[in-house]
Amino acid sequence: MEKFQLFKNAYTLCGKQPDKYISNNFKKFIDKSLPQKFLDNPIRKAMLTGYFLRCAENIVKQWSIKEPDQNIKNILNVNENDAEKIEKLANYLDNHDKIGLPEKISDYFLIPQEDIQQVFEEYAENFIMHTISKQKITKDKTEIFYEVAYRNIAFGYLYKLSEEFVRK
């Protein structure tokens, strides 16, 4: 699939040049949430995976980001600094009861929804399976790790999306 290869190349570019693609707000947020001493922490890597997925989507985008809905506008209009707004937006967008990307962001995809869902799921599954084998996570902890990793990959994606709303 040619589209998928384009996306993989864009994802690789984001990961190889993190200083170019990771915002200072995200660096501060992830360092606060998962300090530097946990650089090898799989949850930190999960969040970065999601962030880089949105980064790659921006590189291969076919559409521009749509106008935010009223709930997002309300958060954007609060008198707070950008970092606080981004975190509030990411938490609002992350407030859903399924694993993966929430339905409420479907209007904000930059490529067709089927494509981003497929890419998201494939990268999440690959990350999780690789981490389980590398970290030697036991079977009794696999299910919880799966859910925590998936949620953090989604949160990384939502954080990057939230940054885009604040910058708009």
Side-chain angles (χ1 to χ4, degrees):
M1 170 196 254
E2 190 177 315
K3 296 189 278 193
F4 190 65
Q5 189 57 48
L6 266 169
F7 199 92
K8 284 175 82 169
N9 293 344
Y11 178 86
T12 300
L13 178 66
C14 293
K16 282 187 175 179
Q17 299 178 2
D19 290 337
K20 180 177 178 181
Y21 293 104
I22 297 177
S23 72
N24 285 332
N25 283 328
F26 187 66
K27 286 177 190 174
K28 289 175 187 170
F29 172 79
I30 200 168
D31 286 344
K32 177 182 75 172
S33 304
L34 300 158
Q36 286 285 1
K37 66 181 178 178
F38 298 111
L39 274 177
D40 213 24
N41 182 317
I43 302 309
R44 183 181 176 101
K45 289 181 180 179
M47 206 177 289
L48 283 164
T49 297
Y51 191 90
F52 289 149
L53 284 169
R54 181 62 184 196
C55 172
E57 187 180 356
N58 271 290
I59 291 171
V60 298
K61 70 182 174 183
Q62 298 170 353
W63 309 307
S64 16
I65 193 167
K66 292 188 172 100
E67 189 67 25
D69 69 28
Q70 193 56 50
N71 291 320
I72 293 171
K73 286 179 181 178
N74 291 342
I75 295 170
L76 291 171
N77 290 328
V78 173
N79 190 19
E80 293 177 324
N81 67 42
D82 286 354
E84 292 168 323
K85 287 180 188 180
I86 292 165
E87 194 169 340
K88 275 189 178 179
L89 273 172
N91 285 318
Y92 161 72
L93 295 172
D94 191 41
N95 189 11
H96 65 289
D97 59 357
K98 75 173 203 164
I99 292 179
L101 297 173
E103 187 61 37
K104 65 181 153 190
I105 68 161
S106 61
D107 286 343
Y108 309 116
F109 293 134
L110 301 174
I111 61 176
Q113 182 170 353
E114 319 74 60
D115 293 346
I116 192 59
Q117 290 289 7
Q118 178 186 355
V119 167
F120 182 89
E121 288 173 23
E122 185 168 322
Y123 272 75
E125 292 292 327
N126 288 343
F127 171 82
I128 291 166
M129 292 295 120
H130 174 77
T131 304
I132 286 172
S133 66
K134 183 178 176 193
Q135 300 282 330
K136 295 182 176 75
I137 295 172
T138 59
K139 279 194 186 263
D140 60 325
K141 295 185 177 144
T142 298
E143 188 175 324
I144 190 81
F145 175 74
Y146 183 89
E147 185 171 332
V148 169
Y150 230 106
R151 299 271 312 160
N152 278 279
I153 293 168
F155 190 82
Y157 180 96
L158 297 172
Y159 193 97
K160 177 76 172 145
L161 173 61
S162 298
E163 289 178 337
E164 293 166 30
F165 283 126
V166 169
R167 274 196 322 256
K168 197 171 184 187

